[in-house]
Amino acid sequence: MKQIVKDYLYLLTGSVFVASAFSLFLLPNNLASGGVSGISVITYELFGISPGAFQLVANVLLLIIGWAILGLGFGVKSLVGSIFLPGVILFYEAIDAGAAVDDTLLAAIFGGVGVGVGLGLIFRGRASTGGMDLIAQVLHKFTHIPLYLCIAILDGMVVLTAALTFSFTTGLYALIALFITVKMIDFVQLGFTQDKMAYVISEKRDFIVRAVFEELDRGATEIQAIGAYSRLDRPMLMIVVRQSEVSRLKEIIRRIDPEAFLVFSEAHEVLGQGFTSDKRYINVP
């Protein structure tokens, strides 16, 4: 029950973010940055159709199409999102909110951020608001074009239509908004932490593991690896540390084995002991 409530909070909060960013930044500046919302910007300009009403009808119809053609098991949450999000847009239309900023670049940046954060929250709630993703899945089913490419093609068509409807410059601003949206979805989905993951190959791995535990209070995982050229077993250590601990880890490894091979990579949203839960030590060397 607790998880269901949490999912709906993500869904409703995310929908408010998306609707607010669309109504206050994207729509007033004619930024059609892909998806059904982008199409609603174009139809509003050409035919005066309410963007909120257009998205409400389109999202519900696309959910029905998705069920009929793809046999997808859309839940209640997706239906709620498909109705609630356009409902918030209709509210903004009713109060005639207007533009938050008149600068198109700022509108693209903050509109993209708002939509990306909102969609990220909706996805974290394991929900959807329908939209162009369903059309992309239908296109993928009948053409076998990769799904990511189908989404890119459809969003590209919306942006191109916007460029022809408004101006080439406006289309470029819409691309900026779309790019920022995609990046913000990743940030919200993967987390904002900047933890690092280190891979270490060394003949003195036992000494490194003990030093990492005693000096950093961190653990390590040994991964079996084989040298591609030598074909010899070269066990590799995987160590996850906070960003502030990177320099200390480098010093430990250099001190113990200057010849060690060390690679760092980003580790987003690390879950587990020592990061999101208390540490418990068992059979420490």
Side-chain angles (χ1 to χ4, degrees), residues 114-171:
V115 172
V117 169
L119 289 176
L121 291 173
I122 291 170
F123 296 155
R124 290 196 73 154
R126 298 177 295 179
S128 169
T129 57
M132 294 287 278
D133 286 352
L134 290 174
I135 299 178
Q137 292 183 50
V138 172
L139 183 63
H140 168 68
K141 177 180 177 66
F142 291 106
T143 65
H144 303 293
I145 298 173
L147 184 59
Y148 75 89
L149 187 55
C150 292
I151 295 173
I153 290 172
L154 293 172
D155 283 338
M157 291 174 62
V158 173
V159 173
L160 178 60
T161 304
L164 296 174
T165 303
F166 302 108
S167 70
F168 180 72
T169 301
T170 301

Short mmCIF file of all heavy atoms in Angstrom, two decimals, residues 114-171:
data_model
loop_
_atom_site.label_atom_id
_atom_site.label_comp_id
_atom_site.label_asym_id
_atom_site.label_seq_id
_atom_site.Cartn_x
_atom_site.Cartn_y
_atom_site.Cartn_z
N GLY A 114 11.93 21.53 -16.55
CA GLY A 114 10.67 21.20 -15.88
C GLY A 114 10.02 19.94 -16.42
O GLY A 114 9.58 19.08 -15.66
N VAL A 115 9.98 19.83 -17.74
CA VAL A 115 9.38 18.64 -18.36
C VAL A 115 10.21 17.40 -18.04
O VAL A 115 9.66 16.34 -17.72
CB VAL A 115 9.26 18.83 -19.89
CG1 VAL A 115 8.82 17.51 -20.55
CG2 VAL A 115 8.25 19.92 -20.21
N GLY A 116 11.54 17.53 -18.09
CA GLY A 116 12.40 16.39 -17.79
C GLY A 116 12.27 15.91 -16.36
O GLY A 116 12.17 14.70 -16.11
N VAL A 117 12.24 16.85 -15.42
CA VAL A 117 12.06 16.48 -14.01
C VAL A 117 10.71 15.81 -13.82
O VAL A 117 10.60 14.77 -13.14
CB VAL A 117 12.18 17.72 -13.11
CG1 VAL A 117 11.74 17.39 -11.68
CG2 VAL A 117 13.62 18.24 -13.10
N GLY A 118 9.68 16.37 -14.43
CA GLY A 118 8.35 15.81 -14.29
C GLY A 118 8.24 14.40 -14.85
O GLY A 118 7.71 13.49 -14.20
N LEU A 119 8.76 14.20 -16.06
CA LEU A 119 8.71 12.87 -16.67
C LEU A 119 9.54 11.87 -15.88
O LEU A 119 9.16 10.70 -15.73
CB LEU A 119 9.19 12.94 -18.12
CG LEU A 119 8.26 13.64 -19.10
CD1 LEU A 119 8.91 13.72 -20.49
CD2 LEU A 119 6.92 12.93 -19.20
N GLY A 120 10.68 12.33 -15.36
CA GLY A 120 11.51 11.46 -14.53
C GLY A 120 10.76 10.98 -13.30
O GLY A 120 10.82 9.81 -12.93
N LEU A 121 10.03 11.89 -12.66
CA LEU A 121 9.23 11.51 -11.49
C LEU A 121 8.10 10.55 -11.87
O LEU A 121 7.83 9.57 -11.16
CB LEU A 121 8.63 12.76 -10.85
CG LEU A 121 9.62 13.71 -10.15
CD1 LEU A 121 8.92 14.98 -9.71
CD2 LEU A 121 10.27 13.01 -8.96
N ILE A 122 7.47 10.82 -13.02
CA ILE A 122 6.39 9.93 -13.48
C ILE A 122 6.93 8.52 -13.73
O ILE A 122 6.33 7.52 -13.33
CB ILE A 122 5.74 10.49 -14.75
CG1 ILE A 122 4.94 11.76 -14.42
CG2 ILE A 122 4.82 9.45 -15.40
CD1 ILE A 122 4.46 12.52 -15.63
N PHE A 123 8.10 8.43 -14.38
CA PHE A 123 8.70 7.13 -14.64
C PHE A 123 9.12 6.43 -13.35
O PHE A 123 9.03 5.20 -13.24
CB PHE A 123 9.89 7.26 -15.58
CG PHE A 123 9.52 7.77 -16.95
CD1 PHE A 123 10.45 8.45 -17.73
CD2 PHE A 123 8.26 7.61 -17.46
CE1 PHE A 123 10.12 8.93 -18.99
CE2 PHE A 123 7.90 8.08 -18.71
CZ PHE A 123 8.85 8.74 -19.48
N ARG A 124 9.58 7.21 -12.37
CA ARG A 124 9.96 6.61 -11.08
C ARG A 124 8.73 6.06 -10.38
O ARG A 124 8.82 5.13 -9.57
CB ARG A 124 10.65 7.63 -10.18
CG ARG A 124 12.03 8.03 -10.66
CD ARG A 124 12.83 8.71 -9.58
NE ARG A 124 13.26 7.76 -8.58
CZ ARG A 124 14.35 7.94 -7.83
NH1 ARG A 124 15.09 9.01 -7.96
NH2 ARG A 124 14.68 7.05 -6.91
N GLY A 125 7.58 6.64 -10.67
CA GLY A 125 6.33 6.11 -10.13
C GLY A 125 5.78 4.96 -10.94
O GLY A 125 4.63 4.55 -10.74
N ARG A 126 6.59 4.47 -11.89
CA ARG A 126 6.20 3.33 -12.74
C ARG A 126 4.88 3.58 -13.44
O ARG A 126 3.99 2.73 -13.49
CB ARG A 126 6.14 2.04 -11.90
CG ARG A 126 7.45 1.64 -11.30
CD ARG A 126 7.35 0.44 -10.42
NE ARG A 126 6.53 0.69 -9.24
CZ ARG A 126 6.26 -0.23 -8.32
NH1 ARG A 126 6.73 -1.46 -8.44
NH2 ARG A 126 5.52 0.07 -7.27
N ALA A 127 4.78 4.80 -13.99
CA ALA A 127 3.56 5.19 -14.68
C ALA A 127 3.91 5.81 -16.02
O ALA A 127 5.08 5.91 -16.40
CB ALA A 127 2.75 6.17 -13.83
N SER A 128 2.88 6.22 -16.73
CA SER A 128 3.04 6.84 -18.04
C SER A 128 1.89 7.80 -18.26
O SER A 128 0.89 7.76 -17.56
CB SER A 128 3.05 5.76 -19.14
OG SER A 128 2.96 6.34 -20.42
N THR A 129 2.08 8.68 -19.23
CA THR A 129 0.98 9.58 -19.60
C THR A 129 0.58 9.36 -21.06
O THR A 129 0.04 10.25 -21.71
CB THR A 129 1.39 11.05 -19.41
OG1 THR A 129 2.56 11.33 -20.18
CG2 THR A 129 1.68 11.34 -17.95
N GLY A 130 0.85 8.15 -21.56
CA GLY A 130 0.52 7.87 -22.96
C GLY A 130 1.49 8.59 -23.88
O GLY A 130 2.69 8.58 -23.66
N GLY A 131 0.96 9.22 -24.91
CA GLY A 131 1.80 10.05 -25.76
C GLY A 131 2.43 9.33 -26.93
O GLY A 131 2.03 8.22 -27.31
N MET A 132 3.46 9.99 -27.48
CA MET A 132 4.07 9.53 -28.73
C MET A 132 4.81 8.21 -28.59
O MET A 132 5.07 7.53 -29.59
CB MET A 132 5.04 10.60 -29.24
CG MET A 132 4.36 11.89 -29.67
SD MET A 132 3.46 11.71 -31.22
CE MET A 132 4.81 11.91 -32.38
N ASP A 133 5.19 7.83 -27.35
CA ASP A 133 5.88 6.56 -27.17
C ASP A 133 5.03 5.39 -27.69
O ASP A 133 5.56 4.40 -28.20
CB ASP A 133 6.21 6.33 -25.70
CG ASP A 133 7.35 7.21 -25.24
OD1 ASP A 133 7.97 7.88 -26.10
OD2 ASP A 133 7.63 7.25 -24.03
N LEU A 134 3.72 5.51 -27.55
CA LEU A 134 2.83 4.46 -28.04
C LEU A 134 2.85 4.38 -29.56
O LEU A 134 2.88 3.30 -30.15
CB LEU A 134 1.41 4.69 -27.54
CG LEU A 134 1.20 4.47 -26.04
CD1 LEU A 134 -0.20 4.87 -25.66
CD2 LEU A 134 1.47 3.03 -25.68
N ILE A 135 2.85 5.54 -30.21
CA ILE A 135 2.93 5.56 -31.67
C ILE A 135 4.26 4.96 -32.12
O ILE A 135 4.33 4.21 -33.10
CB ILE A 135 2.80 7.00 -32.22
CG1 ILE A 135 1.43 7.59 -31.82
CG2 ILE A 135 2.96 7.03 -33.73
CD1 ILE A 135 1.24 9.01 -32.27
N ALA A 136 5.32 5.27 -31.36
CA ALA A 136 6.64 4.72 -31.69
C ALA A 136 6.63 3.20 -31.59
O ALA A 136 7.23 2.50 -32.42
CB ALA A 136 7.69 5.32 -30.76
N GLN A 137 5.93 2.66 -30.57
CA GLN A 137 5.86 1.21 -30.43
C GLN A 137 5.06 0.57 -31.55
O GLN A 137 5.40 -0.53 -32.02
CB GLN A 137 5.25 0.86 -29.08
CG GLN A 137 6.15 1.23 -27.91
CD GLN A 137 5.56 0.82 -26.57
OE1 GLN A 137 5.15 -0.33 -26.39
NE2 GLN A 137 5.53 1.74 -25.62
N VAL A 138 4.02 1.23 -32.00
CA VAL A 138 3.25 0.73 -33.15
C VAL A 138 4.11 0.74 -34.40
O VAL A 138 4.14 -0.23 -35.17
CB VAL A 138 1.97 1.57 -33.36
CG1 VAL A 138 1.28 1.17 -34.66
CG2 VAL A 138 1.02 1.42 -32.18
N LEU A 139 4.84 1.84 -34.63
CA LEU A 139 5.74 1.94 -35.78
C LEU A 139 6.80 0.86 -35.72
O LEU A 139 7.13 0.22 -36.74
CB LEU A 139 6.37 3.33 -35.81
CG LEU A 139 7.30 3.65 -36.99
CD1 LEU A 139 6.52 3.61 -38.30
CD2 LEU A 139 7.95 5.02 -36.80
N HIS A 140 7.33 0.62 -34.54
CA HIS A 140 8.36 -0.41 -34.36
C HIS A 140 7.79 -1.80 -34.68
O HIS A 140 8.46 -2.63 -35.30
CB HIS A 140 8.88 -0.36 -32.93
CG HIS A 140 9.72 -1.54 -32.54
ND1 HIS A 140 10.96 -1.78 -33.07
CD2 HIS A 140 9.46 -2.56 -31.67
CE1 HIS A 140 11.46 -2.89 -32.54
NE2 HIS A 140 10.57 -3.38 -31.70
N LYS A 141 6.56 -2.03 -34.27
CA LYS A 141 5.94 -3.34 -34.47
C LYS A 141 5.79 -3.68 -35.95
O LYS A 141 6.04 -4.83 -36.37
CB LYS A 141 4.56 -3.37 -33.80
CG LYS A 141 3.78 -4.67 -34.00
CD LYS A 141 2.43 -4.61 -33.30
CE LYS A 141 1.63 -5.87 -33.54
NZ LYS A 141 2.23 -7.06 -32.93
N PHE A 142 5.44 -2.68 -36.77
CA PHE A 142 5.15 -2.96 -38.18
C PHE A 142 6.34 -2.71 -39.10
O PHE A 142 6.36 -3.20 -40.24
CB PHE A 142 3.96 -2.12 -38.64
CG PHE A 142 2.66 -2.53 -38.02
CD1 PHE A 142 2.07 -1.77 -37.02
CD2 PHE A 142 2.02 -3.70 -38.41
CE1 PHE A 142 0.87 -2.15 -36.44
CE2 PHE A 142 0.82 -4.09 -37.83
CZ PHE A 142 0.24 -3.32 -36.84
N THR A 143 7.34 -1.95 -38.66
CA THR A 143 8.49 -1.65 -39.52
C THR A 143 9.78 -2.30 -39.04
O THR A 143 10.74 -2.38 -39.79
CB THR A 143 8.73 -0.13 -39.61
OG1 THR A 143 9.11 0.36 -38.31
CG2 THR A 143 7.47 0.58 -40.08
N HIS A 144 9.79 -2.74 -37.77
CA HIS A 144 10.98 -3.34 -37.15
C HIS A 144 12.15 -2.36 -37.05
O HIS A 144 13.29 -2.77 -36.87
CB HIS A 144 11.41 -4.60 -37.91
CG HIS A 144 10.34 -5.63 -38.00
ND1 HIS A 144 9.86 -6.32 -36.89
CD2 HIS A 144 9.62 -6.09 -39.07
CE1 HIS A 144 8.92 -7.16 -37.27
NE2 HIS A 144 8.75 -7.03 -38.58
N ILE A 145 11.85 -1.08 -37.18
CA ILE A 145 12.88 -0.06 -36.93
C ILE A 145 13.12 -0.04 -35.42
O ILE A 145 12.17 -0.14 -34.64
CB ILE A 145 12.42 1.33 -37.40
CG1 ILE A 145 12.19 1.31 -38.92
CG2 ILE A 145 13.41 2.41 -37.03
CD1 ILE A 145 11.58 2.59 -39.46
N PRO A 146 14.38 0.08 -34.96
CA PRO A 146 14.64 0.12 -33.51
C PRO A 146 13.77 1.15 -32.81
O PRO A 146 13.54 2.25 -33.34
CB PRO A 146 16.12 0.49 -33.44
CG PRO A 146 16.71 -0.03 -34.71
CD PRO A 146 15.63 0.16 -35.74
N LEU A 147 13.31 0.81 -31.61
CA LEU A 147 12.36 1.66 -30.91
C LEU A 147 12.92 3.06 -30.65
O LEU A 147 12.22 4.05 -30.83
CB LEU A 147 11.96 1.00 -29.58
CG LEU A 147 10.89 1.73 -28.76
CD1 LEU A 147 9.61 1.90 -29.55
CD2 LEU A 147 10.62 0.98 -27.46
N TYR A 148 14.19 3.12 -30.22
CA TYR A 148 14.76 4.44 -29.94
C TYR A 148 14.78 5.31 -31.19
O TYR A 148 14.60 6.53 -31.12
CB TYR A 148 16.17 4.30 -29.35
CG TYR A 148 17.23 3.91 -30.36
CD1 TYR A 148 17.94 4.87 -31.06
CD2 TYR A 148 17.51 2.57 -30.61
CE1 TYR A 148 18.90 4.51 -31.99
CE2 TYR A 148 18.46 2.19 -31.53
CZ TYR A 148 19.17 3.17 -32.22
OH TYR A 148 20.12 2.82 -33.14
N LEU A 149 14.99 4.67 -32.35
CA LEU A 149 15.03 5.41 -33.60
C LEU A 149 13.62 5.87 -34.00
O LEU A 149 13.45 6.97 -34.53
CB LEU A 149 15.63 4.54 -34.71
CG LEU A 149 15.91 5.21 -36.06
CD1 LEU A 149 16.79 6.44 -35.88
CD2 LEU A 149 16.55 4.22 -37.04
N CYS A 150 12.62 5.03 -33.71
CA CYS A 150 11.23 5.43 -33.98
C CYS A 150 10.86 6.68 -33.18
O CYS A 150 10.23 7.61 -33.69
CB CYS A 150 10.28 4.29 -33.63
SG CYS A 150 10.40 2.84 -34.71
N ILE A 151 11.26 6.69 -31.89
CA ILE A 151 10.98 7.85 -31.04
C ILE A 151 11.68 9.09 -31.57
O ILE A 151 11.10 10.18 -31.64
CB ILE A 151 11.41 7.56 -29.58
CG1 ILE A 151 10.56 6.43 -29.00
CG2 ILE A 151 11.29 8.82 -28.73
CD1 ILE A 151 11.02 5.96 -27.64
N ALA A 152 12.94 8.92 -31.97
CA ALA A 152 13.71 10.05 -32.50
C ALA A 152 13.09 10.58 -33.79
O ALA A 152 13.02 11.80 -34.00
CB ALA A 152 15.16 9.62 -32.75
N ILE A 153 12.62 9.67 -34.64
CA ILE A 153 12.01 10.09 -35.91
C ILE A 153 10.74 10.89 -35.65
O ILE A 153 10.53 11.96 -36.24
CB ILE A 153 11.69 8.85 -36.79
CG1 ILE A 153 12.99 8.21 -37.30
CG2 ILE A 153 10.79 9.24 -37.96
CD1 ILE A 153 12.77 6.88 -38.00
N LEU A 154 9.89 10.39 -34.75
CA LEU A 154 8.63 11.07 -34.46
C LEU A 154 8.86 12.44 -33.82
O LEU A 154 8.24 13.44 -34.20
CB LEU A 154 7.76 10.20 -33.58
CG LEU A 154 7.24 8.91 -34.22
CD1 LEU A 154 6.56 8.02 -33.20
CD2 LEU A 154 6.28 9.23 -35.37
N ASP A 155 9.76 12.49 -32.84
CA ASP A 155 10.07 13.78 -32.22
C ASP A 155 10.69 14.74 -33.23
O ASP A 155 10.40 15.94 -33.23
CB ASP A 155 11.01 13.59 -31.03
CG ASP A 155 10.29 13.06 -29.80
OD1 ASP A 155 9.06 13.24 -29.72
OD2 ASP A 155 10.96 12.48 -28.92
N GLY A 156 11.54 14.19 -34.10
CA GLY A 156 12.16 15.02 -35.14
C GLY A 156 11.13 15.60 -36.09
O GLY A 156 11.24 16.76 -36.51
N MET A 157 10.12 14.80 -36.43
CA MET A 157 9.06 15.28 -37.31
C MET A 157 8.27 16.41 -36.66
O MET A 157 7.89 17.38 -37.32
CB MET A 157 8.13 14.12 -37.69
CG MET A 157 8.76 13.08 -38.59
SD MET A 157 7.69 11.64 -38.87
CE MET A 157 6.28 12.42 -39.68
N VAL A 158 8.03 16.29 -35.36
CA VAL A 158 7.30 17.34 -34.64
C VAL A 158 8.11 18.63 -34.63
O VAL A 158 7.59 19.71 -34.91
CB VAL A 158 6.99 16.90 -33.19
CG1 VAL A 158 6.38 18.06 -32.40
CG2 VAL A 158 6.04 15.71 -33.19
N VAL A 159 9.41 18.52 -34.33
CA VAL A 159 10.27 19.70 -34.29
C VAL A 159 10.38 20.33 -35.68
O VAL A 159 10.35 21.56 -35.83
CB VAL A 159 11.67 19.34 -33.75
CG1 VAL A 159 12.62 20.53 -33.88
CG2 VAL A 159 11.57 18.90 -32.29
N LEU A 160 10.50 19.49 -36.73
CA LEU A 160 10.58 20.00 -38.09
C LEU A 160 9.29 20.73 -38.47
O LEU A 160 9.33 21.81 -39.09
CB LEU A 160 10.84 18.84 -39.07
CG LEU A 160 10.90 19.22 -40.56
CD1 LEU A 160 12.03 20.21 -40.81
CD2 LEU A 160 11.09 17.97 -41.42
N THR A 161 8.16 20.15 -38.11
CA THR A 161 6.87 20.80 -38.39
C THR A 161 6.78 22.14 -37.66
O THR A 161 6.27 23.13 -38.20
CB THR A 161 5.71 19.90 -37.97
OG1 THR A 161 5.82 18.63 -38.63
CG2 THR A 161 4.37 20.53 -38.32
N ALA A 162 7.29 22.17 -36.44
CA ALA A 162 7.29 23.42 -35.68
C ALA A 162 8.17 24.47 -36.36
O ALA A 162 7.81 25.65 -36.41
CB ALA A 162 7.79 23.16 -34.25
N ALA A 163 9.31 24.04 -36.88
CA ALA A 163 10.20 24.97 -37.57
C ALA A 163 9.52 25.56 -38.81
O ALA A 163 9.68 26.74 -39.12
CB ALA A 163 11.49 24.27 -37.96
N LEU A 164 8.74 24.72 -39.51
CA LEU A 164 8.02 25.20 -40.69
C LEU A 164 6.83 26.08 -40.31
O LEU A 164 6.48 27.03 -41.02
CB LEU A 164 7.54 24.01 -41.52
CG LEU A 164 8.64 23.12 -42.13
CD1 LEU A 164 8.03 21.90 -42.80
CD2 LEU A 164 9.48 23.92 -43.14
N THR A 165 6.21 25.77 -39.17
CA THR A 165 5.04 26.52 -38.73
C THR A 165 5.42 27.88 -38.15
O THR A 165 4.78 28.90 -38.45
CB THR A 165 4.25 25.72 -37.67
OG1 THR A 165 3.88 24.46 -38.22
CG2 THR A 165 3.01 26.48 -37.23
N PHE A 166 6.47 27.90 -37.34
CA PHE A 166 6.86 29.14 -36.67
C PHE A 166 8.08 29.76 -37.37
O PHE A 166 7.95 30.68 -38.15
CB PHE A 166 7.16 28.85 -35.19
CG PHE A 166 5.99 28.26 -34.46
CD1 PHE A 166 5.99 26.93 -34.07
CD2 PHE A 166 4.88 29.03 -34.15
CE1 PHE A 166 4.91 26.38 -33.40
CE2 PHE A 166 3.79 28.50 -33.48
CZ PHE A 166 3.81 27.17 -33.11
N SER A 167 9.26 29.22 -37.09
CA SER A 167 10.48 29.69 -37.75
C SER A 167 11.58 28.67 -37.51
O SER A 167 11.49 27.86 -36.58
CB SER A 167 10.91 31.06 -37.21
OG SER A 167 11.38 30.96 -35.88
N PHE A 168 12.61 28.73 -38.33
CA PHE A 168 13.74 27.83 -38.17
C PHE A 168 14.41 28.02 -36.81
O PHE A 168 14.79 27.06 -36.14
CB PHE A 168 14.75 28.06 -39.30
CG PHE A 168 15.97 27.17 -39.21
CD1 PHE A 168 15.88 25.81 -39.49
CD2 PHE A 168 17.20 27.68 -38.82
CE1 PHE A 168 16.99 24.99 -39.41
CE2 PHE A 168 18.32 26.88 -38.74
CZ PHE A 168 18.22 25.52 -39.04
N THR A 169 14.52 29.26 -36.39
CA THR A 169 15.14 29.57 -35.10
C THR A 169 14.33 28.96 -33.96
O THR A 169 14.89 28.37 -33.03
CB THR A 169 15.24 31.09 -34.90
OG1 THR A 169 16.03 31.65 -35.96
CG2 THR A 169 15.89 31.41 -33.56
N THR A 170 13.02 29.08 -34.03
CA THR A 170 12.17 28.49 -33.00
C THR A 170 12.33 26.98 -32.96
O THR A 170 12.32 26.38 -31.88
CB THR A 170 10.69 28.85 -33.26
OG1 THR A 170 10.55 30.27 -33.28
CG2 THR A 170 9.78 28.27 -32.19
N GLY A 171 12.48 26.36 -34.11
CA GLY A 171 12.72 24.93 -34.17
C GLY A 171 14.01 24.53 -33.47
O GLY A 171 14.07 23.51 -32.78
#
